[in-house]
Amino acid sequence: METIMSSNTATADNESHGYSLKRGWRTLAIAGAVVGLIGLLAIAFPLATGISVTLVIGALLVLSGIVHGAHAFTARGWSGSMWQLALGIISVVAGVLVLANPVVGLVTLTLLAIAYLLADGVAELWLSMRMADQPGQMSVAASGVLSLVLAGLLWIGFPADAAWAIGLLVGISLFVTGLSMGIVAITGRNMEETAAAGEPRAA
């Protein structure tokens, strides 16, 4: 009996000290609003957003190359050290080229986005055909068709759409993420209101 009571006490302590959506929904709502606002700004200024993303990728490539090179020198007795050094050189050169001319990097990212949407659309259509009248088959198929249409539109407008495509896609992604965070926060607020309504009134 004493063990059960101590277990219940520990559970209550964890619930009181741990994160609860009922108590933390306001913070989540604020974070969601900030992320959504950043998404709207990215949508409003897609070129600046796309170039910013390209510069970040270029900097990460340079950093990755430095790490590979450092590891190659610290593991000179290892048979794969030359492979690490080659990866480091390639990453640094690619990163420097992207940083020197981010517009070219933006064009490359747009091509990668078209390839991703094309692969995603084919995969989702193939999955929908395998679902055989299961629930959600039509929504998966519709998502696949949408991905193929977007890939086709980007390809038709390429390379002119490279100036805004990546920035717009990033902005939409951030906005949807912020919106989903807001929806979860509203759910937490409703939980708090339901719990408050169920509490007995003080005499």
Side-chain angles (χ1 to χ4, degrees):
M1 183 69 176
E2 185 176 346
T3 304
I4 296 175
M5 290 179 63
S6 62
S7 175
N8 290 337
T9 303
T11 303
D13 289 340
N14 289 336
E15 289 179 352
S16 61
H17 295 294
Y19 178 81
S20 172
L21 187 59
K22 284 195 298 183
R23 296 192 302 271
W25 67 267
R26 292 176 181 84
T27 305
L28 183 63
I30 293 171
V34 171
V35 173
L37 179 60
I38 294 173
L40 288 176
L41 289 174
I43 293 171
F45 304 100
L47 178 58
T49 303
I51 291 178
S52 300
V53 170
T54 306
L55 291 175
V56 169
I57 291 175
L60 289 175
L61 283 171
V62 172
L63 181 61
S64 173
I66 293 173
V67 171
H68 278 299
H71 181 259
F73 280 107
T74 57
R76 276 178 285 184
W78 178 45
S79 60
S81 60
M82 292 304 297
W83 166 66
Q84 285 283 304
L85 183 60
L87 281 178
I89 293 172
I90 292 171
S91 294
V92 169
V93 170
V96 169
L97 289 175
V98 169
L99 291 174
N101 196 343
V103 175
V104 174
L106 198 55
V107 171
T108 304
L109 285 178
T110 305
L111 284 174
L112 290 175
I114 293 172
Y116 167 76
L117 289 170
L118 182 63
D120 180 68
V122 172
E124 286 189 313
L125 286 177
W126 176 79
L127 177 61
S128 67
M129 289 187 291
R130 293 289 299 271
M131 292 177 71
D133 298 327
Q134 294 180 20
Q137 180 186 20
M138 294 306 297
S139 61
V140 173
S143 177
V145 171
L146 180 60
S147 293
L148 291 178
V149 170
L150 286 174
L153 290 175
L154 288 176
W155 179 253
I156 292 171
F158 187 82
D161 55 13
W164 55 262
I166 296 299
L168 183 64
L169 291 173
V170 170
I172 291 173
S173 176
L174 289 172
F175 178 74
V176 171
T177 299
L179 185 63
S180 64
M181 291 169 68
I183 292 172
V184 174
I186 291 172
T187 303
R189 184 191 66 181
N190 293 338
M191 290 169 58
E192 183 186 51
E193 291 176 350
T194 302
E199 290 178 356
R201 295 182 179 177

